[in-house]
């Protein structure tokens, strides 16, 4: 809720603008479909008409790459969001501190700096951390300490693109790719309420957006509006060391650049003496190097017990916003693996006798037999995703260079100039003379951009036509990438290429993919599984009206709705009650509800037998979700589950082996079966019984069909 509340309204960030300034003459505006994106719809933005300020929206059919009826099919229960990283980090830290208070095993030293990680031959790691500057001083025997030293079996190095952990335990060649694509200056600034009100006013609504590409004689850069009403902005300015030094970008010069790029020749501000450069507050000016690199391995160290995640494992150009999102996915993939090992080590549960002579069915998934094996799976899965996201980010960056080239700013020219400056005889000149000459050449190249501010200027009009032609053909920077953001998977067949970066997402149920969004009606849960709480549906009920057309039958239209995506989290209230990671078995198909008990029992025991042979122990929790297409059948099934004699009727009470829940859902349109790949697999699913095994991170561990 706090994350949602902190996000600005989508109308404030769904647009990208191109122009002389944020408020100056606008070359073009592109708006992106950030709300209610449907299955199969392309994620590319649409060019706003120059005269009417309207979007010429193509018909739905032009955006669909398949023959599904998508009238009620969103690609997700949630819309995309936009939130500054510093705000998200604050929220996550607060939540982490709250969670830590619930456990005696968690200690947080926010602001501490890890000075060294010692990798011992016996498989242990010693971590030394400097607590000076930390918000929490460590106290031992009544004495406050400035440092802390502890031993551990594993560490996760999520310490940024210049990760000391990675560099200490690998060589420089460990990162593959281009480490130096472009040098930039990151300017974090805020605008006063007076300037913010003008920037976000209704009169300037077509200038409101997330990303503003500014081509101005004073500054060429990308303005990122994180929260216009709060005045939270970032500006990225390219620079070219060593012939430009970061000291050139002092506070006064940068403030002027920022102001000129914001207001341009806007008459309202230029004639209003109240608004000046002092309405721009420079928070920080930091140089950084854009790169596209991925670690050779995310699992390093003598004993493969140092794990890399986030920017420590991969670096992308920011175009497309994949950096932080890929890092969050890393954590999502990694957390349940450590949690499973932790709970297995600290809990002893009932194990089914290994000499049992039952016939175990062939399981539709593979299981990592140890934490180390599981971490190697993390490495292979996430490295594949990082590589394809890196390639996509580079393509996105090249798209921005194409727009700059249309403004007669060719990225090759500064490189050529640097080459000339580094060659004889110019290279013999003192550095300060070369820097001065380089800066004059850059300033001269930017002078013609003043023509963009003038309506009717032939040079400015030509640039406008060039840029709009590229954007109209879909050559600009997209905001949404449905296949990459929703449809990524961990199978070999899931590797994405550059054929169509913004192509629509088509939901399928195959191993490696995330379970896609599908709204289903909640019938009930076995009464003894009383940790289930209907309040979990409050997020879905907000948009419940969107799904009213999902069914024409009044009988169940007021039932709560769940989405298949991240079903385990909804069923378990995971955010309120952390516990052992839970797996999910989804059962569906043409079967008698009286037969399902036998099928469930066989599979649960088979899973238990597999777990018993692993080093994790027997602490798996498996929720069973049964999907029915007939309302009366689903209700009858729930009644049977709640019969007092139900457990006694089973050969084995698998609830002793698994603290599982049995949940009944209704799918009146049989949409679940249609999610299987449209081949023999789907035919099998229609005519038979299907089991989908889902990991705690929501990815499909296996699919099995049988008669």
């Amino acid at each position: 809720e706090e994350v949602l509340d902190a996000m600005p309204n989508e109308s404030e960030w769904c647009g990208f603008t191109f122009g002389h300034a944020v408020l100056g003459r606008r070359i073009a505006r592109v708006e992106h479909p950030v709300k209610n994106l449907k299955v199969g719809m392309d994620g590319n933005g649409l060019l706003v008409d120059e005269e009417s300020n309207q979007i010429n929206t193509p018909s739905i059919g032009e955006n669909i790459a398949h023959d599904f009826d998508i009238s009620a099919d969103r690609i997700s229960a949630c819309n995309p969001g936009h939130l500054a990283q510093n705000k998200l980090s604050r929220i996550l830290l607060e939540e982490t501190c709250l969670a830590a208070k619930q456990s005696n095993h968690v200690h947080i030293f926010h602001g501490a700096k890890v000075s060294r990680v010692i990798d011992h031959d016996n498989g242990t790691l010693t971590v030394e951390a400097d607590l000076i500057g930390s918000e929490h001083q460590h106290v031992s025997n009544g004495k406050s300490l400035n440092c802390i030293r502890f031993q551990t079996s594993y560490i996760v190095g999520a310490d940024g693109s210049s990760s000391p952990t990675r560099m200490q335990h690998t060589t420089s060649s460990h990162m593959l790719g281009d480490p130096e694509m472009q040098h930039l200056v990151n300017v974090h600034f805020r605008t006063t309420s007076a300037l913010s009100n003008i920037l976000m006013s209704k009169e300037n609504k077509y200038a409101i957006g997330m990303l503003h590409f500014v081509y101005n004689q004073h500054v060429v850069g990308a303005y990122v509006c994180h929260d216009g009403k709060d005045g939270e902005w970032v500006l990225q300015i390219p620079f070219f060391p060593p012939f430009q030094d970061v000291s050139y970008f002092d506070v006064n010069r940068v403030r002027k650049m920022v102001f000129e790029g914001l207001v341009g020749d806007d008459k309202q501000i230029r004639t209003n003496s109240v608004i000046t450069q002092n309405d721009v507050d420079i928070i920080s000016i930091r140089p950084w190097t854009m790169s596209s690199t991925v670690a050779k391995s995310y699992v390093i160290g003598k004993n493969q017990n140092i794990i890399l995640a986030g920017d420590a494992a991969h670096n992308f150009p920011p175009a497309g916003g994949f950096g932080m999102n890929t890092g969050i996915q890393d954590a999502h993939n990694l957390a349940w693996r450590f949690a499973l090992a932790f709970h297995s080590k600290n809990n002893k549960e009932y194990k089914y006798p290994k000499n049992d002579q039952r016939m175990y069915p062939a399981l539709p998934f593979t299981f990592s037999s140890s934490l180390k094996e599981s971490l190697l799976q993390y490495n292979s899965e996430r490295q594949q995703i990082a590589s394809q996201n890196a390639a996509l980010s580079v393509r996105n960056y090249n798209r921005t260079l194409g727009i700059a080239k249309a403004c007669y700013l060719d990225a090759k020219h500064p490189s050529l100039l640097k080459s000339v400056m580094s060659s004889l005889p110019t290279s013999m000149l003192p550095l300060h003379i070369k820097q001065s000459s380089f800066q004059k050449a850059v300033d001269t190249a930017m002078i013609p951009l003043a023509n963009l501010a003038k309506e009717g200027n032939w040079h400015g009009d030509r640039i406008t036509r060039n840029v709009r032609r590229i954007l109209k053909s879909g050559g600009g920077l997209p905001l949404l990438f449905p296949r990459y953001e929703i449809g990524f998977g961990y199978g070999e067949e899931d590797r994405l290429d550059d054929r169509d970066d913004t192509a629509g997402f088509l939901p399928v149920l195959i191993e490696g993919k995330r379970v896609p969004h599908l709204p289903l009606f909640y019938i009930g849960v076995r009464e003894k599984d009383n940790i289930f709480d209907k309040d979990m549906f409050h997020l879905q009920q907000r948009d419940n009206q969107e799904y009213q057309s999902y069914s024409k039958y009044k009988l169940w239209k007021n039932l709560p709705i769940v989405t298949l995506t991240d079903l385990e989290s909804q069923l378990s209230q995971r955010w309120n009650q952390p516990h052992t990671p839970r797996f999910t078995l989804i059962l569906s198909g043409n079967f008698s509800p009286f037969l399902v008990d036998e099928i469930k029992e066989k599979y649960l025991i088979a899973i238990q037998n597999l777990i018993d042979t692993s080093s994790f122990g027997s602490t798996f929790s498996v929720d069973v979700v049964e999907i029915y297409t007939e309302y009366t059948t689903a209700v009858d099934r729930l009644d049977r589950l709640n019969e007092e004699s139900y457990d006694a009727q089973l050969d084995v009470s698998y609830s002793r082996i698994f603290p599982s829940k049995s949940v009944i859902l209704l799918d009146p349109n049989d949409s679940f079966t249609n999610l299987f790949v449209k081949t023999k697999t789907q035919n099998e699913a229609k005519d038979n019984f299907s089991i989908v095994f889902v990991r705690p991170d929501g990815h499909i561990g296996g699919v099995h069909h049988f008669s």
Side-chain angles (χ1 to χ4, degrees):
E1 287 290 340
E2 191 173 352
V3 169
L4 293 175
D5 291 340
M7 290 179 181
N9 186 276
E10 66 268 4
S11 63
E12 298 177 26
W13 55 268
C14 68
F16 290 177
T17 71
F18 304 79
H20 182 254
V22 174
L23 294 181
R25 181 190 176 190
R26 190 174 70 249
I27 299 175
R29 176 181 175 84
V30 173
E31 293 193 358
H32 302 271
V34 298
K35 194 171 184 179
N36 301 329
L37 192 65
K38 305 295 184 183
V39 167
M41 287 181 62
D42 190 280
N44 214 341
L46 299 172
L47 181 64
V48 175
D49 184 75
E50 193 171 8
E51 296 182 359
S52 67
N53 281 320
Q54 299 296 317
I55 296 175
N56 296 321
T57 308
S59 66
I60 292 294
E62 292 177 30
N63 271 339
I64 301 176
H66 69 118
D67 57 355
F68 280 39
D69 174 14
I70 66 165
S71 58
D73 292 339
R74 294 161 51 115
I75 67 171
S76 173
C78 305
N79 290 321
H82 174 53
L83 185 62
Q85 184 169 343
N86 62 321
K87 291 185 178 181
L88 178 61
S89 297
R90 175 187 57 79
I91 294 172
L92 293 178
L93 177 61
E94 291 173 355
E95 289 296 317
T96 302
C97 291
L98 287 175
K101 291 179 180 179
Q102 301 177 22
S103 172
N104 295 324
H105 304 287
V106 179
H107 303 280
I108 298 174
F109 301 97
H110 184 240
K113 181 180 180 180
V114 174
S115 56
R116 187 167 61 143
V117 176
I118 304 172
D119 190 358
H120 300 289
D121 292 334
N122 64 1
T124 62
L125 299 162
T126 299
V127 179
E128 298 177 352
D130 183 0
L131 298 183
I132 297 176
S134 171
E135 295 180 5
H136 306 282
Q137 294 295 308
H138 188 64
V139 177
S140 178
N141 297 325
K143 295 182 179 180
S144 179
L145 304 178
N146 291 327
C147 62
I148 186 172
R149 180 185 174 99
F150 58 89
Q151 283 196 325
T152 183
S153 299
Y154 291 87
I155 66 168
V156 177
D159 45 349
S161 58
S162 300
S163 167
T165 303
R166 184 192 70 230
M167 291 193 290
Q168 182 183 345
H169 298 280
T170 65
T171 63
S172 59
S173 62
H174 192 73
M175 299 299 287
L176 304 176
D178 188 346
E180 197 172 296
M181 293 179 62
Q182 171 72 63
H183 296 275
L184 297 107
V185 174
N186 178 293
V187 181
H188 179 199
F189 68 93
R190 291 193 180 98
T191 54
T192 61
S193 58
L195 180 52
S196 297
N197 289 339
I198 294 175
L199 290 167
M200 303 299 290
S201 67
K202 291 183 179 179
E203 292 78 9
N204 294 317
K205 64 179 181 179
Y206 295 113
I208 296 173
M210 178 203 295
L211 201 54
H212 304 269
F213 294 93
V214 170
Y215 306 99
N216 188 290
Q217 65 271 31
H218 300 288
V219 60
V220 172
Y223 285 74
V224 185
C225 180
H226 286 305
D227 194 326
K229 292 181 178 177
D230 286 346
E232 187 88 17
W233 292 74
V234 166
L235 169 61
Q236 304 289 356
I237 308 171
F239 85 111
F240 306 92
F243 304 113
Q244 279 185 316
D245 190 83
V246 71
S247 61
Y248 172 82
F249 298 91
D250 59 57
V251 172
N252 292 330
R253 178 176 277 112
V254 167
R255 183 181 290 111
K256 175 178 173 60
M257 288 180 172
V258 170
F259 187 75
E260 292 293 340
L262 284 175
V263 307
D265 291 338
D266 185 85
K267 294 179 181 179
Q268 179 185 4
I269 292 181
R270 292 300 182 182
T271 57
N272 183 352
S273 59
V274 176
I275 302 297
T276 67
Q277 293 182 25
N278 292 329
D279 286 276
V280 174
D281 181 21
I282 304 299
I283 307 300
S284 64
I285 303 171
R286 293 194 178 98
W288 66 284
T289 302
M290 180 193 299
S291 61
S292 177
T293 56
V294 177
K296 285 182 181 178
S297 175
Y298 290 12
V299 181
I300 61 176
K302 294 178 182 178
N303 298 281
Q304 295 188 314
N305 52 358
I306 301 174
I307 317 302
L308 302 179
D311 286 354
H314 44 72
N315 292 280
F316 312 142
F322 282 93
M324 182 176 69
N325 287 320
T326 306
I328 292 173
Q329 291 173 10
D330 291 344
H332 192 228
N333 186 294
L334 188 59
W336 70 269
R337 303 176 189 276
F338 277 115
L340 182 64
F342 176 81
H343 286 282
S344 297
K345 186 170 62 175
N346 288 280
N347 294 283
K348 298 295 183 182
E349 294 187 2
Y350 175 82
K351 289 187 178 183
Y352 197 84
K354 292 184 181 180
N355 61 355
D356 187 274
Q357 300 299 313
R358 297 171 184 270
M359 294 295 294
Y360 300 132
L363 292 173
F365 61 90
T366 57
F367 175 69
S368 300
S369 62
S370 67
L371 177 57
K372 284 199 172 185
E373 185 178 325
S374 183
L375 292 175
L376 291 177
Q377 184 185 45
Y378 157 79
N379 173 73
S380 61
E381 290 181 350
R382 295 307 305 162
Q383 192 179 50
Q384 171 184 326
I385 301 301
S387 296
Q388 67 186 27
N389 287 352
L392 173 59
S393 298
V394 171
R395 293 195 295 274
N396 287 336
Y397 171 63
N398 289 333
R399 290 182 175 103
T400 67
L401 296 184
I403 299 294
K405 190 173 182 179
C407 298
Y408 303 103
L409 297 172
D410 195 326
K412 295 179 181 178
H413 293 168
S415 298
L416 180 61
L417 187 57
K418 286 177 65 175
S419 178
V420 171
M421 292 287 185
S422 302
S423 303
L424 291 172
T426 315
S427 60
M428 302 296 292
L429 296 173
L431 179 60
H432 72 277
I433 294 178
K434 289 186 287 186
Q435 289 176 335
S436 176
S437 300
F438 186 92
Q439 188 60 53
K440 287 179 180 178
V442 171
D443 293 341
T444 300
M446 293 169 59
I447 289 175
L449 295 176
N451 293 311
L452 277 176
K454 305 169 185 176
E455 295 283 351
N457 179 275
W458 71 269
H459 185 70
D461 290 347
R462 186 172 183 179
I463 289 177
T464 299
R465 288 193 298 271
N466 292 344
V467 172
R468 292 186 65 84
R469 183 171 60 250
I470 293 174
L471 297 175
K472 190 174 183 179
S473 66
L477 174 63
L479 176 60
L480 301 180
F481 306 85
R483 292 190 306 157
Y484 288 82
E485 295 164 329
I486 301 291
F488 70 91
Y490 296 137
E492 283 294 326
E493 68 282 0
D494 291 319
R495 296 183 184 274
L496 300 176
D497 52 38
D498 61 352
R499 285 178 296 176
D500 193 348
D501 290 338
T502 62
F505 164 67
L506 306 179
V508 291
L509 284 168
I510 59 175
E511 185 173 351
K513 294 281 192 182
R514 287 200 71 198
V515 177
H517 165 64
L518 177 66
L520 297 176
F521 295 101
Y522 167 71
I523 297 297
V525 65
R526 188 171 54 171
E527 290 178 359
K528 65 182 294 185
D529 303 326
N530 55 14
I531 68 169
F532 188 80
D533 185 354
K534 283 189 178 181
D535 288 342
M536 72 176 207
F537 293 109
H538 68 286
L539 290 178
Q540 283 78 12
Q541 286 175 332
R542 285 181 174 179
D543 297 327
N544 200 22
Q545 290 182 351
E546 294 185 38
Y547 300 115
Q548 291 307 305
S549 61
Y550 184 73
S551 172
K552 299 178 182 179
Y553 304 98
K554 295 182 180 179
L555 188 61
W556 57 76
K557 73 174 185 178
N558 292 321
L559 289 174
I561 294 172
V562 294
T563 171
L564 273 184
T565 302
D566 206 14
L567 185 61
E568 182 274 326
S569 177
Q570 298 172 76
L571 298 178
S572 303
Q573 289 276 287
R574 186 170 56 201
W575 55 90
N576 288 332
Q577 299 175 344
H579 50 66
T580 303
R582 305 181 78 90
F583 295 77
T584 305
L585 275 180
I586 302 176
L587 314 180
S588 74
N590 296 320
F591 58 88
S592 164
F594 297 97
L595 178 64
V596 75
D597 291 330
E598 179 182 350
I599 298 171
K600 282 167 51 177
E601 181 186 358
K602 285 184 177 180
Y603 270 82
L604 290 172
I605 293 174
I607 294 172
Q608 180 65 47
N609 184 59
L610 181 64
I611 295 167
D612 285 345
T613 62
S614 77
S615 65
F616 278 128
S618 56
T619 58
F620 271 27
S621 298
V622 180
D623 294 328
V624 179
V625 176
E626 302 175 25
I627 299 176
Y628 295 89
T629 58
E630 298 293 334
Y631 176 76
T632 54
T633 304
V635 172
D636 289 345
R637 174 59 178 166
L638 182 62
D639 290 341
R640 171 170 165 74
L641 288 176
N642 287 321
E643 292 176 359
E644 292 184 3
S645 59
Y646 173 74
D647 281 340
Q649 294 172 9
L650 299 180
D651 291 340
V652 174
S653 174
Y654 57 79
S655 61
R656 290 185 2 182
I657 306 175
F658 298 88
S660 63
K661 292 189 294 294
S662 291
V663 182
I664 307 300
L665 302 179
L666 177 66
D667 180 17
N669 296 331
D670 200 18
S671 300
F672 184 81
T673 301
N674 290 331
L675 292 178
F676 291 104
V677 179
K678 287 195 167 184
T679 58
K680 180 181 177 182
T681 305
Q682 190 186 61
N683 295 329
E684 290 174 345
K686 283 185 176 294
D687 298 333
N688 300 290
F689 183 83
S690 300
I691 281 188
V692 178
F693 182 75
V694 185
R695 307 185 326 191
D697 62 355
H699 283 265
I700 297 172
V703 176
H704 187 47
H705 308 287
F706 55 92
S707 301

